[in-house]
Amino acid sequence: MGDIGVGVIGTGFMGKAHAMAYRAAAGIFPGNLKPVLQTVADVDEAAADAAARQYGFRRAVTDWRALVADPAIAIVAITTPNMFHREMALAAIAAGKHVHCEKPLAPSVAEAHEMMEAAEAANVVTQVGYNYIKNPLLSLAREMIASGELGEITSFRGIHAEDFMCDPEVPYSWRLDPQGGGGAIADIGSHIIGLARFLIGPITEVNADLATVVKSRPVGPGAAERRLIEVDDIARLTVRFARGCGGTIEANWAATGRKMQLGFEISGTKGGLVFTQERLNELSYYKAGEDPRENGFRRIEAGPQHPPYRNFCVAPGHQLGFNDLKTIEVADFLSAIEGGVRRGPDFREAWEIQKVVDSAIASSKSRAWKEVA
Amino acid sequence: MGDIGVGVIGTGFMGKAHAMAYRAAAGIFPGNLKPVLQTVADVDEAAADAAARQYGFRRAVTDWRALVADPAIAIVAITTPNMFHREMALAAIAAGKHVHCEKPLAPSVAEAHEMMEAAEAANVVTQVGYNYIKNPLLSLAREMIASGELGEITSFRGIHAEDFMCDPEVPYSWRLDPQGGGGAIADIGSHIIGLARFLIGPITEVNADLATVVKSRPVGPGAAERRLIEVDDIARLTVRFARGCGGTIEANWAATGRKMQLGFEISGTKGGLVFTQERLNELSYYKAGEDPRENGFRRIEAGPQHPPYRNFCVAPGHQLGFNDLKTIEVADFLSAIEGGVRRGPDFREAWEIQKVVDSAIASSKSRAWKEVA
Amino acid sequence: MGDIGVGVIGTGFMGKAHAMAYRAAAGIFPGNLKPVLQTVADVDEAAADAAARQYGFRRAVTDWRALVADPAIAIVAITTPNMFHREMALAAIAAGKHVHCEKPLAPSVAEAHEMMEAAEAANVVTQVGYNYIKNPLLSLAREMIASGELGEITSFRGIHAEDFMCDPEVPYSWRLDPQGGGGAIADIGSHIIGLARFLIGPITEVNADLATVVKSRPVGPGAAERRLIEVDDIARLTVRFARGCGGTIEANWAATGRKMQLGFEISGTKGGLVFTQERLNELSYYKAGEDPRENGFRRIEAGPQHPPYRNFCVAPGHQLGFNDLKTIEVADFLSAIEGGVRRGPDFREAWEIQKVVDSAIASSKSRAWKEVA
Amino acid sequence: MGDIGVGVIGTGFMGKAHAMAYRAAAGIFPGNLKPVLQTVADVDEAAADAAARQYGFRRAVTDWRALVADPAIAIVAITTPNMFHREMALAAIAAGKHVHCEKPLAPSVAEAHEMMEAAEAANVVTQVGYNYIKNPLLSLAREMIASGELGEITSFRGIHAEDFMCDPEVPYSWRLDPQGGGGAIADIGSHIIGLARFLIGPITEVNADLATVVKSRPVGPGAAERRLIEVDDIARLTVRFARGCGGTIEANWAATGRKMQLGFEISGTKGGLVFTQERLNELSYYKAGEDPRENGFRRIEAGPQHPPYRNFCVAPGHQLGFNDLKTIEVADFLSAIEGGVRRGPDFREAWEIQKVVDSAIASSKSRAWKEVA
């Protein structure tokens, strides 16, 4: 097993998730590459130092450029707010690093495209943090669709709803900047768009209605001054897929009571599937044509028969958690770097997702159907 | 308790449901009017005779005009396919009868409007069979919204999905006639549109995408010849409500595995509600602002604290069934005839629903937002 | 269709349920016997009169003996507290009536035995109101067990839990009299015991632990004086079935939050079943030996493929309610009177259930296993 | 942060789980002790070498005594079959190591007692692998009970059911040896007994019925020769708790279709709780006394408000998995070694659990109530 040096930029929610996933991957997945936690970077020196100590990095830096320039590092993981992704990724690519970037890839299609082209030109491997699709049960769902087991797909109804932006006193931040996070459609909508593409394939047209529920927010934590909000809290999309069927996609970060309702229902002529991340270890499956006296949606529980669940646990029903999905993401990335299948989602896929996001915003503004170019 | 004569036209699924509901209503609800099952009409004489005998009508006729003309009858219930509703209802109204008509009221807005105007001019009481909204838990939901308990409503996400049209060998019928049943949007879409209006209020704009999944069907049962289908199997609507919020509505009668998924999720600034007719005796409610350590969606079970459940059963959790909803519909109608509150939905409301249906069809054809006139 | 006169004794919760079920039965089930609501009896004259008017009885009486003596009545339905069952049933049997009696049949095995013997000697048909087992999905469960579809049964885990006796201020009543209602084990325990017998067969041995949670209660509504409680609030039984397997049964009327948790889980070598009356239109079924990648408990929804659901509704997923179960009970009784299959539960079965109840009480007192004689 | 050397004996299911948990703990929990994976031991040299390489141990040995004797090791984790626990633990204790031992602690009360006494005499810290109780939501449940929020507890109904022993061709192994694993009551029953004790407190009396469903099994994998089975597949216990209430506990490893049904329902005079490991990130809570119109069981979803969930993820609803529970177990152990609260379960608690297991076996043999000495 060869060592491979990893540098992580950022020490927040995702910074920790990346660090722990790189730390766990080699133990869970017996691949050929063994990540070595080389360097963690954060503009806040204390945060960088604490992260290095806690997660086991050899070095902490405040300048991400030092991390990118380090020859001991072959993988650069970017977990900063997404307006920083482009600059960091391009520098890492230029330095010949493989790049693992959090989602959404960039605030705009143009930036995403530039990043994708740079990565492909440099022939580095890329990975974008759409971690939810790493769920073994979603791999099962994808296989059932791809193999024709569900018949012809006739409908996709997807949603990603949470309630973390319900409170009007949540202050303005980069997530609320049209050129930054880009609203619910970009922040969480990109997850369900990515999931739709993962399962059903390319989206060719979109008709969207974006709504801002909280019209203004404090300019900063506890501030009296308020700022008008330009991005959406709720995005409602009707879509057409390249395979011929239609569907709907909703993104809503003001969905009172919902913590992680990333879910879908898919109908096919031979079966149906229902899923929600709220119960990520379950997939409901209806198989058409069975004895009607005894048929119904089956609650499939994740188990070792659903790869790569077995890497985490040999017994069924023991359940994976969110951090395990991140570990699978890292393992897939390492495997691609080794020369294995590129399961993605890579920069190209993230660019495709971003195009749907941008098309939705444009559609909503023009109140008309919009082709995804 | 005064007797009131009832005539039912039609002896199919809904004919039986009406007969049984009129038979049960006075026993369950101690109002002042006691329905007397006077006459049942069916073009098939044997069916009419059998229905009269089984359900306890005094008389069976093959000519519905004889029923309408009968002075012993004060209530005419119309349960035939909807292309017959207009003629029957207008005749009944002209004869001064109160009219209970199955849904959708008519195949077009124009007909629905004519029926509504005739009924209002004649000052008869009308009732349309959108029975699902008679659920005590949906009355609770409506009260919670109307009272402000959920705060400002920010989102409605509704669906009515079943799978009875999945099979491509289900033959052509009036339900598939654009001038008859009018497709999924009219047949079952009208239920979820009516429910959205019942809970959230008027819909002012709609943007719809209608899809035909099964492109052709046998011209009749077992026929080799097939006919192209012009109506939708799936309708996907984005809507705007007069109260200011938006939402989505889906109708899908080719939803593999779904038997009665008439459901919604509503978000308000102070709470959220989730419901599906698949579990019609449960309403999930999230109350914002409670101790976060112990908060979550509550599974409210129907009980005597939810009127008029107590009329059916004094003990909680014993559950109402579909036919009980029909009995509540009849009781509401009788109460309105007596001079009580007109809970509806009446012909005016059914016309409003039909306008949304027609706007959705027009929107889909023009691929553009459409105002509900 | 021949008329058959019905007399109902009692106008409370169950009195109304019986009246409405007899009123509905002929319309829902096209059998040969058509119940005529002849007489209702209640010691409270106003209650009797109101019930007659509301439910459509021809006559109201205060003396149940007059009802029993009426030659126009062929069916006597007894819905009074169970210490009155014996006297009324014996009189009705002596008058040659078929007897429909609420559960439990009697406060003691001896009385139940006497009633059963009298009924069998007189060759009248009897029916006892264990209505929950009339659920079409429980008929399905029974067939799956009887046919061997579940393989050898290895375990039964049943419960009937409600919370209506949680409040220590619920006053003393006949339900709390050891010679009356007999506690949770008799009142609701008899339901789950009956259900266990219906599905799995005779219980041969029982080992029980009965507990009184609320030690004293007001002697009457609002009374300051309190009375010590001798009966159980919670009964926990371990049982052995004649077929060789074991199981547990719990009855608990102080189960905070539970409204109608009458449920079970059954394991067999070829499959498993899970049910709760809280979702009475669903049965969960696990079929062993299927492709493990896609297997799981199936949520079977009640539909017309589950007789006699179709009598209530031709469309699946529309759901039956509690009162519909009572209507099936009446239809089964009428069918037995006509000479059809005696589906019961009849007085003999109710006596068998009572024996298990009494054995449980005796076992708890002696703190030892007790054979069900 | 000081380093602390860890040695793990065994490389199977639990060996891997321990290794990964020790590897993750310092990153997830910023305590003062940082585990260093020093040595892994397995009688199979290849397995030991592979484990060392994959999980990152510095050394692999085939002789566990070498591991125990290593002065660089302060923590010995024992993950072998439970008949080896005693010898290994006593040696480790004698060497002054802190001992982390998989459950059940030993095949008999006597051995467990000896191990407990040795550990306490040596004043080493011990931890036993009852990992499920490390769930943040079960800590919440425990606090709600301990604080009186649920009122007086009146009932506990617990189960641990899986189906991994359903198949009669699963061969004989140490789990089926009365002096080894000890059957379902010991293997998985100990989990639900431990959970009952964790939540409700000491069990004072038990009345059990143990059943062997599969009467014989192959002597080894694929063997034609079969061996009679002496241990139970299903154990049904009625219990009394020291606090005064009663309950039931079931262990069943032949529960067709169940993968991880470790669950309970608890009733208290002020509230009720329902849980199953099948949905380990949810706890259902009914709070008595709320507005009955809107009350019902709440589905509490695990979030950062439930320590130590926040250590894994700052966002609610993202879910922990099985391996995360093991990481919490390790963190609790490290914290106790540092001198913090000893959350256990330690050897003393494991001995207490073993006493209940043994009392259940004795009770079943004598068919009588048995005090837990």
Side-chain angles (χ1 to χ4, degrees):
Chain A
M1 220 191 284
D3 288 353
I4 183 165
V6 177
V8 174
I9 310 177
T11 63
F13 178 11
M14 278 301 123
K16 180 172 185 178
H18 279 247
M20 295 313 299
Y22 278 99
R23 195 169 166 74
I28 302 289
F29 291 85
N32 294 313
L33 288 177
K34 183 175 172 181
V36 174
L37 299 190
Q38 202 69 32
T39 307
V40 61
D42 199 298
V43 287
D44 176 342
E45 187 169 0
D49 286 346
R53 208 168 41 242
Q54 189 177 345
Y55 311 140
F57 286 91
R58 293 181 175 171
R59 209 154 73 97
V61 298
T62 53
D63 178 10
W64 61 266
R65 291 181 187 278
L67 182 154
V68 164
D70 186 347
I73 288 174
I75 290 175
V76 173
I78 303 171
T79 72
T80 53
N82 64 356
M83 63 275 210
F84 303 120
H85 291 178
R86 177 183 158 279
E87 189 181 11
M88 292 170 175
L90 292 180
I93 291 164
K97 314 298 188 191
H98 303 297
V99 184
H100 187 175
C101 187
E102 262 314 304
K103 46 63 53 183
L105 188 56
S108 74
V109 165
E111 289 168 85
H113 185 256
E114 185 185 0
M115 293 160 75
M116 180 270 285
E117 289 218 314
E120 296 193 353
N123 204 22
V124 297
V125 179
T126 57
Q127 183 77 31
V128 184
Y130 289 108
N131 35 61
Y132 303 113
I133 64 172
K134 294 303 178 182
N135 188 328
L137 290 177
L138 297 183
S139 292
L140 172 62
R142 191 187 203 209
E143 286 166 21
M144 291 172 83
I145 293 166
S147 70
E149 198 170 342
L150 292 191
E152 184 195 339
I153 302 304
T154 60
S155 181
F156 177 85
R157 184 175 187 244
I159 189 167
H160 191 155
E162 305 192 26
D163 69 358
F164 63 98
M165 296 297 279
C166 276
D167 184 351
E169 300 314 307
V170 171
Y172 189 85
S173 74
W174 63 271
R175 280 179 204 272
L176 293 154
D177 179 351
Q179 269 70 54
I185 180 65
D187 188 46
I188 59 175
S190 57
H191 276 300
I192 182 63
I193 289 168
L195 183 47
R197 286 180 48 88
F198 178 71
L199 295 172
I200 312 293
I203 293 169
T204 53
E205 280 187 285
V206 60
N207 193 342
D209 192 25
L210 274 56
T212 307
V213 169
V214 179
K215 306 296 188 193
S216 72
R217 295 185 182 271
V219 295
E225 191 189 344
R226 299 182 76 86
R227 179 166 174 164
L228 285 181
I229 301 301
E230 296 170 68
V231 301
D232 63 296
D233 294 309
I234 309 176
R236 301 178 179 97
L237 282 63
T238 306
V239 301
R240 298 267 181 93
F241 291 93
R243 72 190 303 145
C245 72
T248 61
I249 288 175
E250 180 169 332
N252 186 341
W253 64 19
T256 307
R258 290 295 185 179
K259 308 306 172 191
M260 183 38 77
Q261 186 195 21
L262 171 62
F264 61 79
E265 177 152 357
I266 292 168
S267 292
T269 51
K270 294 185 183 169
L273 292 175
V274 183
F275 173 82
T276 173
Q277 181 73 12
E278 291 172 322
R279 288 172 175 167
L280 71 91
N281 289 280
E282 299 179 23
L283 177 67
S284 277
Y285 168 44
Y286 184 90
K287 186 174 182 177
E290 299 279 287
D291 178 356
R293 208 178 65 132
E294 302 179 351
N295 206 8
F297 278 92
R298 300 160 189 209
R299 182 166 59 86
I300 304 172
E301 294 178 87
Q305 69 274 38
H306 305 120
Y309 176 102
R310 180 184 292 273
N311 289 72
F312 294 88
C313 182
V314 296
H318 277 58
Q319 308 207 9
L320 303 189
F322 171 72
N323 288 327
D324 296 329
L325 303 183
K326 207 73 194 172
T327 302
I328 300 174
E329 180 179 297
V330 163
D332 281 354
F333 184 37
L334 293 173
S335 170
I337 291 170
E338 270 186 63
V341 178
R342 297 195 175 191
R343 290 204 186 82
D346 58 10
F347 278 15
R348 178 168 284 273
E349 172 61 14
W351 168 60
E352 294 285 358
I353 293 170
Q354 190 63 41
K355 285 198 287 182
V356 179
V357 169
D358 277 31
S359 297
I361 295 170
S363 164
S364 183
K365 277 185 186 145
S366 64
R367 288 172 62 79
W369 280 92
K370 182 89 185 166
E371 277 189 39
V372 180
Chain B
M1 222 191 284
D3 288 354
I4 182 165
V6 177
V8 174
I9 309 177
T11 63
F13 178 10
M14 277 301 123
K16 182 173 184 177
H18 278 247
M20 295 313 299
Y22 277 101
R23 195 168 165 77
I28 301 288
F29 291 86
N32 294 311
L33 287 177
K34 183 177 172 180
V36 174
L37 299 191
Q38 202 70 32
T39 307
V40 61
D42 199 296
V43 286
D44 176 342
E45 188 169 359
D49 285 347
R53 209 166 43 242
Q54 189 178 344
Y55 310 141
F57 287 91
R58 292 180 176 171
R59 212 154 71 96
V61 297
T62 54
D63 178 9
W64 62 266
R65 293 181 185 279
L67 182 155
V68 164
D70 186 345
I73 287 173
I75 290 174
V76 173
I78 302 170
T79 72
T80 53
N82 65 356
M83 64 274 208
F84 302 120
H85 291 177
R86 177 184 160 279
E87 188 182 12
M88 291 170 175
L90 292 180
I93 291 164
K97 313 300 188 190
H98 303 298
V99 184
H100 187 176
C101 187
E102 262 314 305
K103 48 61 55 182
L105 188 55
S108 74
V109 165
E111 288 169 86
H113 185 256
E114 183 185 2
M115 292 160 75
M116 180 270 285
E117 289 218 314
E120 296 192 352
N123 204 23
V124 297
V125 179
T126 56
Q127 183 78 32
V128 183
Y130 288 108
N131 34 61
Y132 302 113
I133 65 172
K134 294 304 178 182
N135 188 329
L137 291 177
L138 296 184
S139 292
L140 171 62
R142 191 188 201 207
E143 287 166 22
M144 291 171 83
I145 293 166
S147 70
E149 199 169 343
L150 292 191
E152 183 195 340
I153 302 304
T154 60
S155 182
F156 177 85
R157 185 176 187 243
I159 190 168
H160 190 155
E162 305 192 26
D163 69 359
F164 63 99
M165 296 298 279
C166 277
D167 184 350
E169 300 314 307
V170 171
Y172 189 84
S173 75
W174 62 270
R175 281 181 202 272
L176 294 155
D177 179 351
Q179 269 69 54
I185 179 66
D187 188 45
I188 60 176
S190 57
H191 275 301
I192 182 62
I193 290 168
L195 184 46
R197 285 179 48 86
F198 177 72
L199 296 172
I200 312 293
I203 292 168
T204 53
E205 280 186 287
V206 59
N207 193 343
D209 193 25
L210 274 56
T212 307
V213 169
V214 178
K215 307 296 188 193
S216 73
R217 294 183 183 272
V219 296
E225 191 190 344
R226 298 183 77 87
R227 180 167 174 163
L228 285 180
I229 300 302
E230 296 171 68
V231 300
D232 62 295
D233 293 310
I234 308 177
R236 302 178 178 96
L237 283 64
T238 306
V239 302
R240 298 267 181 94
F241 291 93
R243 73 189 304 145
C245 72
T248 61
I249 289 175
E250 180 169 332
N252 186 341
W253 65 18
T256 308
R258 291 294 185 178
K259 308 307 172 190
M260 181 40 76
Q261 186 194 20
L262 170 63
F264 61 79
E265 176 150 358
I266 291 169
S267 292
T269 51
K270 294 185 182 168
L273 292 175
V274 183
F275 174 82
T276 173
Q277 181 73 13
E278 291 172 323
R279 288 174 173 166
L280 71 92
N281 289 280
E282 299 179 22
L283 178 67
S284 277
Y285 168 44
Y286 184 90
K287 186 174 183 176
E290 300 278 288
D291 179 356
R293 209 179 64 132
E294 302 179 354
N295 206 9
F297 278 92
R298 301 160 187 209
R299 182 166 59 88
I300 303 172
E301 294 178 87
Q305 69 274 37
H306 306 119
Y309 176 102
R310 180 183 291 275
N311 288 71
F312 293 89
C313 182
V314 295
H318 277 58
Q319 307 208 6
L320 303 188
F322 171 72
N323 288 327
D324 297 329
L325 302 182
K326 207 74 194 172
T327 301
I328 300 174
E329 179 178 298
V330 163
D332 280 355
F333 185 36
L334 293 172
S335 171
I337 290 171
E338 270 186 64
V341 179
R342 295 194 176 192
R343 289 202 186 83
D346 59 9
F347 278 15
R348 179 167 284 272
E349 172 62 14
W351 169 60
E352 295 283 359
I353 293 170
Q354 190 64 41
K355 284 197 288 184
V356 180
V357 169
D358 278 32
S359 298
I361 295 170
S363 164
S364 183
K365 278 185 186 144
S366 63
R367 289 174 58 82
W369 280 92
K370 181 88 186 168
E371 277 190 39
V372 180
Chain C
M1 223 193 279
D3 287 355
I4 183 165
V6 176
V8 174
I9 309 177
T11 63
F13 177 12
M14 277 300 123
K16 181 173 184 178
H18 278 247
M20 295 314 298
Y22 277 100
R23 196 170 164 75
I28 301 288
F29 291 85
N32 294 312
L33 287 177
K34 183 175 172 180
V36 174
L37 299 191
Q38 202 69 33
T39 307
V40 60
D42 199 297
V43 287
D44 175 342
E45 188 168 359
D49 286 346
R53 211 166 41 243
Q54 189 179 345
Y55 311 140
F57 287 91
R58 292 180 175 171
R59 213 153 71 95
V61 297
T62 54
D63 179 8
W64 62 266
R65 292 181 187 279
L67 182 155
V68 164
D70 186 347
I73 288 173
I75 290 174
V76 172
I78 303 171
T79 72
T80 54
N82 65 356
M83 65 275 208
F84 302 120
H85 290 177
R86 177 185 159 277
E87 188 181 11
M88 291 170 175
L90 292 179
I93 291 164
K97 313 300 189 191
H98 304 298
V99 183
H100 187 176
C101 188
E102 262 314 305
K103 49 61 55 182
L105 188 55
S108 74
V109 165
E111 288 169 86
H113 185 257
E114 184 185 1
M115 292 160 75
M116 180 269 286
E117 290 219 313
E120 296 193 351
N123 204 22
V124 297
V125 180
T126 56
Q127 183 78 32
V128 183
Y130 289 107
N131 34 61
Y132 302 113
I133 64 172
K134 294 303 178 182
N135 187 329
L137 290 178
L138 296 184
S139 292
L140 172 62
R142 191 188 202 209
E143 287 167 21
M144 291 171 83
I145 293 165
S147 70
E149 199 169 342
L150 293 191
E152 185 195 338
I153 302 304
T154 60
S155 182
F156 177 86
R157 185 174 186 244
I159 190 168
H160 190 155
E162 305 192 26
D163 69 359
F164 64 99
M165 296 299 279
C166 276
D167 184 351
E169 300 314 308
V170 171
Y172 188 85
S173 74
W174 62 270
R175 280 180 203 271
L176 293 155
D177 179 351
Q179 270 69 54
I185 179 65
D187 188 45
I188 59 175
S190 57
H191 276 300
I192 182 61
I193 290 168
L195 183 47
R197 287 179 48 86
F198 177 71
L199 295 172
I200 312 292
I203 292 167
T204 53
E205 279 186 286
V206 58
N207 193 343
D209 193 25
L210 274 56
T212 307
V213 169
V214 179
K215 307 295 188 194
S216 73
R217 294 184 182 272
V219 295
E225 191 189 344
R226 297 183 77 88
R227 181 167 173 164
L228 286 180
I229 301 301
E230 295 170 68
V231 300
D232 63 296
D233 293 310
I234 308 176
R236 301 178 179 96
L237 283 63
T238 307
V239 302
R240 298 267 182 93
F241 291 93
R243 72 190 304 145
C245 72
T248 61
I249 288 174
E250 181 169 331
N252 186 341
W253 64 19
T256 306
R258 291 295 184 179
K259 309 306 172 190
M260 181 40 76
Q261 188 194 21
L262 171 62
F264 61 79
E265 177 152 356
I266 291 169
S267 292
T269 51
K270 294 185 182 168
L273 292 175
V274 183
F275 174 82
T276 172
Q277 181 73 14
E278 292 172 322
R279 288 172 174 167
L280 72 91
N281 289 280
E282 299 178 23
L283 178 67
S284 277
Y285 168 45
Y286 184 90
K287 186 173 181 177
E290 299 279 289
D291 178 356
R293 208 179 65 132
E294 302 179 352
N295 205 9
F297 278 92
R298 301 161 187 208
R299 182 166 59 88
I300 304 172
E301 294 178 87
Q305 68 274 37
H306 305 120
Y309 177 102
R310 180 183 291 274
N311 289 71
F312 294 88
C313 182
V314 295
H318 277 57
Q319 307 209 7
L320 303 188
F322 171 73
N323 288 327
D324 297 329
L325 303 182
K326 207 73 193 172
T327 301
I328 300 174
E329 180 179 298
V330 164
D332 280 355
F333 185 35
L334 293 172
S335 169
I337 290 171
E338 271 187 63
V341 178
R342 296 193 176 193
R343 289 203 187 82
D346 60 10
F347 279 16
R348 178 168 284 272
E349 172 62 14
W351 168 60
E352 294 284 359
I353 293 170
Q354 190 63 42
K355 284 197 288 184
V356 179
V357 169
D358 278 32
S359 298
I361 296 170
S363 164
S364 183
K365 278 185 184 145
S366 64
R367 288 174 59 81
W369 281 92
K370 183 87 186 169
E371 278 190 37
V372 180
Chain D
M1 221 190 285
D3 287 354
I4 183 166
V6 177
V8 175
I9 310 176
T11 63
F13 177 11
M14 277 301 121
K16 180 173 186 178
H18 278 248
M20 296 312 299
Y22 277 100
R23 194 168 165 77
I28 301 288
F29 291 86
N32 294 313
L33 288 178
K34 183 175 171 180
V36 174
L37 298 191
Q38 203 68 34
T39 308
V40 60
D42 200 297
V43 286
D44 176 341
E45 188 169 358
D49 286 345
R53 209 165 43 241
Q54 188 178 346
Y55 311 141
F57 286 92
R58 293 180 176 171
R59 210 154 71 97
V61 298
T62 54
D63 178 10
W64 62 266
R65 291 181 187 278
L67 183 155
V68 164
D70 186 346
I73 287 174
I75 291 175
V76 173
I78 303 170
T79 72
T80 52
N82 64 357
M83 63 275 208
F84 302 120
H85 291 177
R86 177 184 158 278
E87 189 181 10
M88 292 170 175
L90 292 180
I93 291 164
K97 314 298 189 191
H98 303 297
V99 184
H100 187 176
C101 187
E102 263 313 304
K103 47 63 54 184
L105 189 55
S108 75
V109 166
E111 288 168 87
H113 186 257
E114 185 185 0
M115 292 160 74
M116 179 269 286
E117 291 219 312
E120 296 193 352
N123 205 22
V124 298
V125 180
T126 56
Q127 183 78 31
V128 183
Y130 288 108
N131 36 59
Y132 303 113
I133 65 172
K134 295 303 177 183
N135 188 328
L137 291 177
L138 296 184
S139 292
L140 172 62
R142 192 189 202 207
E143 286 167 21
M144 291 172 83
I145 293 165
S147 69
E149 199 170 343
L150 292 191
E152 184 194 340
I153 303 304
T154 60
S155 182
F156 177 85
R157 184 174 186 245
I159 189 167
H160 190 156
E162 305 192 26
D163 69 359
F164 63 99
M165 296 298 278
C166 276
D167 184 350
E169 300 314 309
V170 171
Y172 189 85
S173 74
W174 62 271
R175 281 179 203 273
L176 293 154
D177 178 351
Q179 268 70 54
I185 180 65
D187 188 46
I188 59 176
S190 57
H191 275 301
I192 182 64
I193 290 168
L195 183 47
R197 286 179 48 88
F198 177 71
L199 296 172
I200 312 293
I203 293 167
T204 53
E205 279 185 286
V206 60
N207 193 342
D209 193 25
L210 275 55
T212 307
V213 169
V214 179
K215 307 296 187 193
S216 74
R217 294 185 182 270
V219 295
E225 192 190 343
R226 299 183 77 85
R227 181 167 173 163
L228 284 180
I229 301 301
E230 295 170 69
V231 301
D232 63 296
D233 293 309
I234 308 176
R236 301 177 179 98
L237 282 63
T238 307
V239 302
R240 298 267 182 92
F241 291 92
R243 72 191 303 146
C245 72
T248 61
I249 288 174
E250 181 168 331
N252 186 341
W253 66 19
T256 307
R258 291 296 184 178
K259 307 307 172 192
M260 183 37 79
Q261 186 194 23
L262 170 62
F264 61 79
E265 176 152 356
I266 292 169
S267 293
T269 52
K270 294 185 181 168
L273 292 175
V274 183
F275 173 81
T276 173
Q277 181 73 12
E278 292 171 323
R279 288 172 174 166
L280 72 92
N281 289 280
E282 300 179 23
L283 178 67
S284 277
Y285 167 45
Y286 184 91
K287 186 173 183 178
E290 299 279 287
D291 178 356
R293 208 178 65 131
E294 302 179 352
N295 206 8
F297 278 92
R298 301 160 189 210
R299 183 166 58 86
I300 304 171
E301 294 176 87
Q305 69 274 38
H306 305 120
Y309 175 103
R310 180 183 291 275
N311 289 71
F312 293 89
C313 181
V314 295
H318 277 57
Q319 307 208 9
L320 303 188
F322 172 72
N323 288 327
D324 296 329
L325 302 182
K326 207 73 193 171
T327 302
I328 299 174
E329 181 179 297
V330 163
D332 281 354
F333 185 36
L334 293 172
S335 169
I337 290 171
E338 271 187 64
V341 179
R342 297 194 175 193
R343 291 203 186 82
D346 59 9
F347 279 14
R348 179 168 283 273
E349 172 60 15
W351 168 59
E352 295 284 359
I353 292 170
Q354 190 64 41
K355 285 198 287 182
V356 179
V357 169
D358 277 31
S359 298
I361 295 170
S363 164
S364 182
K365 277 185 185 145
S366 64
R367 288 174 59 80
W369 281 93
K370 182 87 186 168
E371 277 190 39
V372 180

